[in-house]
Amino acid sequence: MVAQVIDGKAFAAKVRGQVADQVAKLKEENGITPGLAVVLVGEDPASQVYVRSKGKMTVEVGMNSYEHKLDVETSEEDLLALIDKLNNDPAVHGILVQLPLPKHLNEDLVINSIDPAKDVDGFHISNVGLLGTGQKSMVPCTPLGCLMMLRDHHGSLSGLDAVVIGRSNIVGKPMAQLLLGDSCTVTIAHSRTKDLPDVVRRADIVVAAVGRPEMVPGDWIKEGATVIDVGINRIERDGKNKLVGDVDYASAAERAGAITPVPGGVGPMTIACLLANTLTACCRSNGLPEPEGLTA
Ligand code: NAD
C-alpha cells in the first residue's frame, strides 16, 4: 500500500480561509474585529520566528495583532501586570504567552494568570479541566489541528484504536482527550511503555509526539493505519540540515493508509488553529454562535 499524503499546508490554508471569511462577516455584521495579543519575553531565536509568523498570519486573516516584546530580565510582577491589562482589554480576544519563558519566571503561574476565556493556547488549568471533563474549552492548537485532519480523513473516528506516543501537556495528553472525546479507544504510550512496537501495531491511528528523529519505523505501522507525525527534529544528513518527524516517513508510507509529512503536515495547522481559537474566543465573548468546523 502507498499511503495517501495528508497535506497539512493545503489544509491549513483552507482553515485560514474559513477564519478570514468569518472575520470579514463579523466586521461587516457586528462591527467586531478579533484581536490576538502575543507576548514574547527574551530573544530566543526560534520563538522570535514563531511570533513573527503568528503576527503576520493574524493580520492576513483580518484580525488585529498586538505584539508585546519584553526584555529577557522582565520581572514576574511586570509580566503579570501586562497579562492583567490584556485580560481587561476588550479589543483583545486571545492572549498567547510564547513558551519557553526565561528560567526566573514561573510558567505555570504566568499561564494560569491568563483569563481562561482568552487562553487561545488552551494551557490554563481551567481549560485542561474542561477538556478532560468533555466540556466546552479552549483546545491546544497542535492537537486541535491533528483532530481536524483526522476527522477530515476518516469522517467518524468512533471505535478506532488510537495510540498517542508522548504524554506532554502540550500535545500528548490533550490529543488523547480529544480522541477519547471522538470515541476512539485510546492508549497513551511514553518513554516507559513496555514493548512500544507491539502497542503501535494495534493502532488504526498513530499520533507521534516524542521529539526523536524517525524513531517509529514502518514495520511498527499496521497496514492501512493513519499516521499523524507531530515531531519536528532538525538533523544533519549528507552534509545538509534537514527537518524530519518522529516517524520514518519512507518506510511508514509503504504501510500506512494515510500519513502527514514533515515539514508540511501538522506544523502549518498549529498557527491556523491558533487563529481559529482566537475567532472562537471572540465569538464566545460576544455571545455569538461559534464558527462551524473550527472547534473540537
Ligand atoms: P516533550 O519533550 O514535552 O514530550 C515528549 C514525550 O515523548 C514525553 O512524554 C516522553 O514520555 C515521550 N518519549 C520520550 N522518549 C520516548 C521513547 N523513546 N519512546 C516513547 N515515548 C518517548 O515534547 P512535546 O512538546 O510533546 O513535543 C514532541 C514533538 O512534537 C517535538 O519534536 C516537538 O518539536 C514537536 N511539536 C510540534 C508542534 C507542531 O506545531 N508541529 C507543536 C508542538 C510540538
Side-chain angles (χ1 to χ4, degrees), residues 39-94:
V39 181
L40 173 64
V41 186
E43 290 177 1
D44 176 70
S47 294
Q48 284 181 324
V49 173
Y50 291 140
V51 166
R52 213 174 304 130
S53 70
K54 282 169 188 171
K56 185 170 162 269
M57 291 194 185
T58 303
V59 172
E60 275 172 14
V61 296
M63 295 183 184
N64 289 327
S65 166
Y66 308 101
E67 278 181 32
H68 296 269
K69 292 185 177 160
L70 307 183
D71 189 86
V72 68
E73 312 256 293
T74 300
S75 69
E76 204 161 79
E77 198 187 351
D78 285 350
L79 178 57
L80 294 177
L82 171 62
I83 292 172
D84 187 50
K85 204 173 123 211
L86 298 171
N87 282 342
N88 290 299
D89 184 343
V92 172
H93 303 95

Side-chain angles (χ1 to χ4, degrees), residues 21 30 46 75 85 95 103 114-115 118 148 164-165 196 214 218 244 253 256 262 264-265 277 280 285 290 293 296:
D21 289 347
N30 307 88
S75 69
K85 204 173 123 211
I95 303 169
K103 293 268 179 298
I114 298 172
D115 177 350
K118 297 189 179 189
M148 282 184 189
V164 179
I165 318 174
L196 184 62
E214 300 171 330
V244 297
V262 178
N277 276 351
T280 301
S285 73
E290 290 181 12

Side-chain angles (χ1 to χ4, degrees), residues 142 165-168 170-172 189-191 196 209-212 215 230-233 246 266-267 270:
T142 300
I165 318 174
R167 56 176 161 182
S168 71
I170 292 174
V171 189
H190 47 78
S191 52
L196 184 62
V210 182
R212 287 177 173 246
M215 73 161 273
V230 183
I232 302 177
N233 307 292
D246 291 340
V266 175
T270 298

